[in-house]
Amino acid sequence: MKYITFLLALVISLTTFAQNTSAENDSLALRKLYDMSLLNGKSYEWLDHLSNQIGGRLSGSIQAEQAVQYTKKELQKLGLDKVWLQPVMVPKWTRGTKEYAYIETKPGESKTVNICALGGSVPTPVNGLKAEVIEVQGLEDLAEYGKEQIEGKIVFYNRPMRANLIQTFEAYGGCVDQRYAGAAEAAKYGAVGVIVRSMNLRLDDYPHTGSMSYLDTPKDNRIPSAAISTNDAEYLSSLLKLTPDAKFFFKMSCRTFDDVQSHNVIGEITGSEFPNEIIVVGGHLDSWDLGDGSHDDGAGVVQSMEVLRLLKESNITPKRTIRVVLFMNEENGLRGGNKYADVAKQKNENHIFALESDAGGFTPRGFSFDCTDAQFKQVEAWKPLFKPYLIHFFEQGGSGADIGPLKNGNSVLAGLRPDSQRYFDYHHAANDTFEAVNKRELELGAATMTSLVYLYDTYGVEGFPTKMPFKN
Amino acid sequence: MKYITFLLALVISLTTFAQNTSAENDSLALRKLYDMSLLNGKSYEWLDHLSNQIGGRLSGSIQAEQAVQYTKKELQKLGLDKVWLQPVMVPKWTRGTKEYAYIETKPGESKTVNICALGGSVPTPVNGLKAEVIEVQGLEDLAEYGKEQIEGKIVFYNRPMRANLIQTFEAYGGCVDQRYAGAAEAAKYGAVGVIVRSMNLRLDDYPHTGSMSYLDTPKDNRIPSAAISTNDAEYLSSLLKLTPDAKFFFKMSCRTFDDVQSHNVIGEITGSEFPNEIIVVGGHLDSWDLGDGSHDDGAGVVQSMEVLRLLKESNITPKRTIRVVLFMNEENGLRGGNKYADVAKQKNENHIFALESDAGGFTPRGFSFDCTDAQFKQVEAWKPLFKPYLIHFFEQGGSGADIGPLKNGNSVLAGLRPDSQRYFDYHHAANDTFEAVNKRELELGAATMTSLVYLYDTYGVEGFPTKMPFKN
């Protein structure tokens, strides 16, 4: 009995020792990764190039192509095991001449306002379009007004984002249907055009673009669709109360071309023990064209690249394959994300974990996990490791648009969750520029992502069969 | 026995019910406070006035006086029970003509650099001061170089803030001795002037001012002391490696006047049940003169005012006395904070809780508490109430400079802790302006402060004797 007690005590103390040691090792590893990112990071320098040397990277543009070539070259410099381009056909839409719009209270009396075409919109007639305006608070209002009040008019969607929601993405989610489906719905009632209040919580002069879809609207019934700045939306709304027959004029020369070929940019460190267990980290290389796409999603791109650089530089030898994927065409098609998942499926690749950064380069707060409860328990046990870095947000929920297609029921998908308060001040607007990104905040995000990747590489994913035969 | 069991069960279930109900009430109260701050807040409008209509509010300046009058008037509009000014004598130091500085590699070859006088510095001679430079990494280096290497030279303190510290205030604390005591120490070794690397984690062109002290240096031995921008500090440092005998010229016309009278601005809602238990919330009304002091500490001022407005508007009737104190002269003397505590002591006032906001108007993360372990336990029990607002940081530690003198061993002192990553980009520099403050972040801070004040008002402070006789 004594002997058994002794043995039991030994096993317990050895287990405790092993647990303490691994927790200590993990803690030291994270400290090293944060130090490297903050003291010798590359992410900010890469972002400077993407933003200031290349600029806005709309799918199908020369800048998008330059970004493909630049990031491929930079990944090659890191000495990864493989770097390659994955071909993908993407839509090509161009804004054309800067948009022009004014509100006319009576002939000869007008005020110019700030608008921009929504991505995918048809142009106005060459000489512009002028019509009366009907203001609505959402898609559901259209049926109420009916064809007799809407026909021949411009529909003005003006439901603002809810300022009292703490998570601004929730406020965005509650409004963006107006932008996405506004034209398709209004066309059913004979509207001739659509103006949408910018998805912005702040009152300012920037119109915010973003994707829209005509859904199943026949080609001849498609009407032009633009965003208006929040200040001008407020102005237009108050004006319509006094002057309901005021007219709105706008002129846009956007065009849709045939799809063109582009690429996802991919690099990997092949796993030393379980090379067929793949961990993906990524952001999207394309952006809208008004700013230089520093927050959306230059930040996510350079942070994802930095994950692999930090692992290399810190002499960590990943057991599993760590892959960075810079997705093309998140903004207006998601073709890159879909293509990557299609190819992965064809090749029967095992993606155990994917992490996306596409919520801006702000101070990281944590992650949102799309996973099972058991998998989430595994993650929650790692929370204490992140406390010194003020990373506290670990919640089950969505992950990211580009990695979404990888969902298979076994893998864990996660999204980095930075502070979101300022995000929609810049989102899809001309002020989404390099100056709006803080170097430290960007670097903290990269280190936070690398830390999570390190932990998944070290411990694998709960419930995922490890040590499967290496496929090649 | 059965009867006793029944009674016990009843007591337990009633207690649980009461606890659930109060937790639910608190949860609803917090939701209301956040909604009001985000949907109908006044803090941003007040800050706009303080920053853009008044501007930098250095102690003893006309702007500081305007700020006293403006905030007094605004507090009166809120219909508080009392609003008053508390006289306090403050130092008066003026910057004079904009400073001018250059580095001279050889006669006729020079580069101008960005400097500013440190608050409290003596001026240079009227025609400026030119001398060779000795670079050091801190006060402790002086003894090593000794009088023979320092005498007649300008000492250049160039130890940077440590970028790998996550909490930037810690990095600041590790450097600011160079600014505060640099001149006093260098003068002992016969230095003729002092240049200090700006307390800034970012490389940019803004010099950051801040207080310095001559300590016990005799009047005739006081040497002028300036901050240099981080970019120019880097330039000067690399130049000195190549050209150790390069000379530094600077010219400053700052002046110290006799103390002048100013005021703390105070307003209160008198407690309905325990009027002699005082809860203070505050920030400092003075600021440095280079920017408009929006983050430091216009934000804290308007957030503190907003606490009382939100309580009034939400029809909460505080049981305890809630007092807003807008302290004068935090930056270069702490006279307001000391005066307030002195008067409180004289009047034998019971301060049970004090909360300061003086770390910028950024997204709030939580609070730091200067309190006993038992008191901290009380606070920790409230953490779940704050989770929906992403408030997660509850730690024991320091509180704030202005409320520090209120410490008495019984009361709880706390400081709001916003995200600190960008704070030192603006701190004491010309870019600390209204545009750098985000409306939502400011409002979230105000709601977070009000929530904590509400909880202390509702439950009192652990270990503090309540229901003491009302003194008047």
Side-chain angles (χ1 to χ4, degrees):
Chain A
M1 184 62 195
K2 237 185 188 168
Y3 182 68
I4 290 177
T5 312
F6 170 76
L7 265 188
L8 203 68
L10 187 72
V11 167
I12 289 172
S13 69
L14 279 179
T15 312
T16 312
F17 175 75
Q19 278 170 353
N20 286 349
T21 314
S22 76
E24 210 172 294
N25 285 345
D26 293 341
S27 168
L28 289 173
L30 263 61
R31 181 71 258 178
K32 190 172 173 187
L33 293 169
Y34 276 92
D35 281 355
M36 286 174 61
S37 186
L38 288 165
L39 296 173
N40 291 299
K42 275 280 277 184
S43 55
Y44 195 64
E45 188 186 319
W46 282 327
L47 186 64
D48 188 4
H49 189 99
L50 269 185
S51 301
N52 294 322
Q53 300 300 317
I54 297 178
R57 302 169 295 281
L58 195 54
S59 288
S61 67
I62 291 174
Q63 290 86 346
E65 187 51 30
Q66 286 174 330
V68 165
Q69 297 306 328
Y70 169 69
T71 50
K72 181 189 166 204
K73 197 187 70 193
E74 290 299 312
L75 288 177
Q76 282 169 330
K77 284 189 202 164
L78 299 183
L80 306 180
D81 295 314
K82 289 185 209 163
V83 174
W84 72 99
L85 299 183
Q86 183 174 63
V88 55
M89 295 299 290
V90 297
K92 182 177 167 78
W93 175 88
T94 60
R95 184 171 304 281
T97 315
K98 189 171 159 39
E99 304 83 345
Y100 176 63
Y102 61 80
I103 304 166
E104 189 181 81
T105 40
K106 47 184 163 174
E109 260 182 41
S110 70
K111 179 196 186 302
T112 59
V113 289
N114 296 295
I115 68 154
C116 67
L118 293 179
S121 175
V122 296
T124 61
V126 178
N127 293 322
L129 170 67
K130 186 154 76 175
E132 286 189 16
V133 179
I134 178 162
E135 177 179 341
V136 299
Q137 295 301 303
L139 303 175
E140 51 289 352
D141 282 4
L142 296 176
E144 213 171 289
Y145 288 106
K147 205 162 189 173
E148 72 243 53
Q149 288 187 70
I150 294 173
E151 193 157 43
K153 290 189 187 151
I154 291 168
V155 171
F156 168 38
Y157 293 98
N158 194 30
R159 184 170 81 256
M161 287 170 75
R162 284 177 57 197
N164 60 333
L165 293 173
I166 307 299
Q167 310 231 34
T168 59
F169 282 86
E170 206 184 316
Y172 179 67
C175 268
V176 73
D177 61 337
Q178 301 175 98
R179 189 192 77 201
Y180 191 74
E185 291 304 313
K188 293 180 188 165
Y189 296 88
V192 294
V194 156
I195 302 292
V196 185
R197 180 191 183 97
S198 283
M199 304 289 129
N200 177 5
L201 280 154
R202 191 166 71 164
L203 291 176
D204 65 24
D205 295 325
Y206 293 103
H208 294 230
T209 191
S211 64
M212 53 82 62
S213 167
Y214 289 108
L215 304 168
D216 53 3
T217 313
K219 239 177 178 175
D220 288 349
N221 295 350
R222 294 180 180 182
I223 58 177
S225 180
I228 186 168
S229 77
T230 46
N231 271 339
D232 287 332
E234 293 284 299
Y235 172 78
L236 176 57
S237 180
S238 54
L239 186 97
L240 288 172
K241 286 183 184 68
L242 300 170
T243 319
D245 60 347
K247 284 183 174 151
F248 194 94
F249 171 89
F250 68 129
K251 195 173 154 185
M252 313 198 299
S253 57
C254 30
R255 266 180 81 183
T256 301
F257 296 80
D258 288 340
D259 289 356
V260 297
Q261 183 168 290
S262 186
H263 298 90
N264 292 329
V265 181
I266 310 178
E268 77 170 40
I269 304 172
T270 308
S272 61
E273 284 185 47
F274 313 116
N276 64 332
E277 293 193 15
I278 299 168
I279 291 174
V280 158
V281 61
H284 65 85
L285 207 43
D286 66 307
S287 77
W288 285 106
D289 54 330
L290 296 171
D292 62 34
S294 283
H295 275 297
D296 187 11
D297 184 26
V301 164
V302 299
Q303 286 174 326
S304 299
M305 293 166 68
E306 184 75 344
V307 170
L308 274 76
R309 194 191 70 86
L310 290 174
L311 291 173
K312 281 291 275 186
E313 293 286 312
S314 60
N315 295 319
I316 290 172
T317 307
K319 297 190 226 176
R320 294 164 168 88
T321 291
I322 316 288
R323 204 177 266 178
V324 54
V325 184
L326 310 177
F327 297 97
M328 184 50 71
N329 185 231
E330 189 271 348
E331 292 296 2
N332 54 342
L334 209 68
R335 301 278 185 88
N338 286 322
K339 170 61 82 173
Y340 181 80
D342 286 350
V343 172
K345 214 170 174 180
Q346 277 165 30
K347 293 194 176 172
N348 204 17
E349 285 180 340
N350 264 328
H351 282 77
I352 65 163
F353 173 58
L355 171 60
E356 183 165 328
S357 168
D358 185 17
F362 300 94
T363 302
R365 304 288 296 265
F367 305 95
S368 171
F369 295 89
D370 186 353
C371 65
T372 66
D373 291 349
Q375 288 170 335
F376 187 60
K377 246 179 138 169
Q378 176 188 27
V379 163
E380 280 200 303
W382 295 333
K383 265 184 88 165
L385 287 168
F386 286 93
K387 204 185 171 204
Y389 312 101
L390 305 177
I391 301 301
H392 65 104
F393 185 88
F394 291 77
E395 301 285 338
Q396 278 179 282
S399 59
D402 278 311
I403 61 172
L406 287 172
K407 186 162 174 152
N408 63 21
N410 285 320
S411 57
V412 173
L413 307 181
L416 181 72
R417 291 292 171 262
D419 194 284
S420 75
Q421 299 308 323
R422 295 176 182 230
Y423 186 63
F424 291 96
D425 296 358
Y426 306 106
H427 187 242
H428 297 180
N431 60 341
D432 181 4
T433 56
F434 185 64
E435 294 68 33
V437 176
N438 176 280
K439 182 172 181 283
R440 289 178 61 79
E441 294 179 0
L442 183 76
E443 291 167 347
L444 284 167
T448 304
M449 293 168 70
T450 314
S451 298
L452 188 64
V453 166
Y454 159 83
L455 290 166
Y456 271 116
D457 177 59
T458 306
Y459 299 106
V461 164
E462 176 68 32
F464 213 94
T466 51
K467 306 204 184 191
M468 290 176 67
F470 182 43
K471 284 177 194 133
N472 218 343
Chain B
M1 183 66 195
K2 237 185 186 169
Y3 183 65
I4 289 175
T5 313
F6 170 75
L7 265 189
L8 203 69
L10 186 71
V11 168
I12 288 172
S13 70
L14 280 178
T15 312
T16 312
F17 175 74
Q19 279 171 351
N20 286 349
T21 314
S22 74
E24 210 171 294
N25 285 345
D26 293 341
S27 168
L28 289 172
L30 263 59
R31 182 70 258 177
K32 191 172 174 188
L33 293 170
Y34 276 93
D35 282 355
M36 287 174 61
S37 187
L38 287 166
L39 295 174
N40 291 299
K42 276 280 275 185
S43 55
Y44 195 64
E45 189 186 319
W46 282 327
L47 186 64
D48 188 4
H49 189 100
L50 268 186
S51 301
N52 294 322
Q53 300 301 317
I54 297 177
R57 302 168 295 283
L58 194 55
S59 288
S61 68
I62 290 173
Q63 290 87 345
E65 187 51 31
Q66 286 174 332
V68 166
Q69 297 305 329
Y70 170 69
T71 50
K72 181 190 165 201
K73 198 188 70 196
E74 290 300 310
L75 287 177
Q76 282 170 332
K77 284 189 203 165
L78 298 183
L80 306 181
D81 296 313
K82 289 186 209 163
V83 175
W84 72 99
L85 299 183
Q86 183 174 63
V88 55
M89 296 300 289
V90 296
K92 182 177 168 77
W93 174 88
T94 60
R95 184 171 303 282
T97 315
K98 189 170 158 41
E99 303 84 345
Y100 176 63
Y102 61 79
I103 304 165
E104 189 181 82
T105 41
K106 49 183 163 177
E109 261 183 39
S110 69
K111 179 195 186 301
T112 59
V113 289
N114 296 296
I115 68 153
C116 67
L118 293 179
S121 175
V122 296
T124 61
V126 179
N127 293 321
L129 171 65
K130 186 155 76 177
E132 285 188 15
V133 179
I134 179 163
E135 178 180 341
V136 298
Q137 296 300 303
L139 303 176
E140 52 289 352
D141 281 5
L142 297 176
E144 215 171 287
Y145 287 107
K147 207 162 188 171
E148 72 244 55
Q149 287 188 68
I150 295 173
E151 193 156 43
K153 290 189 186 150
I154 291 168
V155 171
F156 168 38
Y157 292 98
N158 194 30
R159 184 169 81 256
M161 287 171 75
R162 284 178 57 198
N164 59 332
L165 293 173
I166 306 301
Q167 310 231 33
T168 59
F169 281 86
E170 206 183 316
Y172 179 66
C175 269
V176 73
D177 60 338
Q178 301 176 101
R179 190 192 77 201
Y180 191 73
E185 292 303 314
K188 292 180 189 165
Y189 296 88
V192 296
V194 155
I195 302 292
V196 184
R197 181 191 182 97
S198 283
M199 304 289 128
N200 178 4
L201 280 153
R202 192 165 69 163
L203 290 176
D204 65 25
D205 295 324
Y206 294 102
H208 293 230
T209 190
S211 64
M212 54 81 62
S213 168
Y214 289 108
L215 304 168
D216 53 3
T217 313
K219 243 183 173 169
D220 289 350
N221 296 350
R222 295 181 180 181
I223 57 176
S225 180
I228 187 167
S229 77
T230 46
N231 271 339
D232 287 332
E234 292 285 299
Y235 172 77
L236 176 56
S237 180
S238 54
L239 186 96
L240 287 173
K241 284 184 185 70
L242 300 169
T243 319
D245 59 349
K247 285 183 174 150
F248 194 95
F249 171 89
F250 68 129
K251 195 173 154 186
M252 314 198 297
S253 57
C254 31
R255 266 180 80 182
T256 300
F257 295 82
D258 288 340
D259 289 356
V260 297
Q261 184 168 288
S262 186
H263 299 89
N264 292 329
V265 181
I266 310 177
E268 76 170 40
I269 304 171
T270 309
S272 62
E273 284 184 49
F274 313 116
N276 64 331
E277 292 193 17
I278 299 168
I279 291 174
V280 158
V281 61
H284 65 85
L285 206 45
D286 66 307
S287 77
W288 285 106
D289 54 331
L290 297 172
D292 62 34
S294 283
H295 275 297
D296 187 12
D297 183 29
V301 163
V302 299
Q303 286 174 327
S304 299
M305 293 166 68
E306 184 75 346
V307 170
L308 274 78
R309 195 191 70 85
L310 290 174
L311 291 173
K312 281 292 275 186
E313 293 287 311
S314 61
N315 294 321
I316 290 172
T317 306
K319 297 191 225 175
R320 293 163 169 88
T321 292
I322 317 288
R323 206 178 265 178
V324 55
V325 184
L326 310 177
F327 297 97
M328 183 51 69
N329 184 231
E330 190 271 347
E331 293 295 2
N332 55 341
L334 210 68
R335 301 278 185 87
N338 286 321
K339 169 63 84 176
Y340 181 79
D342 286 349
V343 172
K345 213 170 175 182
Q346 277 165 30
K347 291 193 174 173
N348 203 17
E349 284 181 341
N350 264 328
H351 282 77
I352 65 164
F353 173 57
L355 171 61
E356 183 164 330
S357 169
D358 185 17
F362 300 94
T363 302
R365 305 288 296 265
F367 305 94
S368 171
F369 295 90
D370 185 353
C371 66
T372 66
D373 291 350
Q375 288 169 336
F376 187 61
K377 245 177 136 172
Q378 177 188 27
V379 163
E380 280 199 304
W382 295 333
K383 265 184 88 164
L385 287 168
F386 286 93
K387 204 184 170 204
Y389 312 101
L390 305 177
I391 302 300
H392 65 103
F393 185 89
F394 291 76
E395 300 287 336
Q396 279 179 282
S399 59
D402 278 312
I403 61 173
L406 287 172
K407 187 164 175 152
N408 64 19
N410 285 321
S411 56
V412 173
L413 307 181
L416 182 72
R417 291 292 172 264
D419 195 284
S420 76
Q421 298 309 323
R422 294 177 182 229
Y423 186 63
F424 291 96
D425 295 358
Y426 305 107
H427 186 243
H428 298 180
N431 60 340
D432 181 5
T433 57
F434 185 65
E435 294 68 31
V437 176
N438 177 280
K439 182 171 179 285
R440 289 178 61 78
E441 294 180 0
L442 183 76
E443 291 167 347
L444 284 168
T448 303
M449 292 168 70
T450 315
S451 298
L452 188 64
V453 165
Y454 160 83
L455 290 167
Y456 272 116
D457 177 60
T458 306
Y459 298 106
V461 164
E462 175 69 33
F464 213 95
T466 53
K467 304 206 184 189
M468 289 175 69
F470 181 45
K471 283 177 193 133
N472 216 344

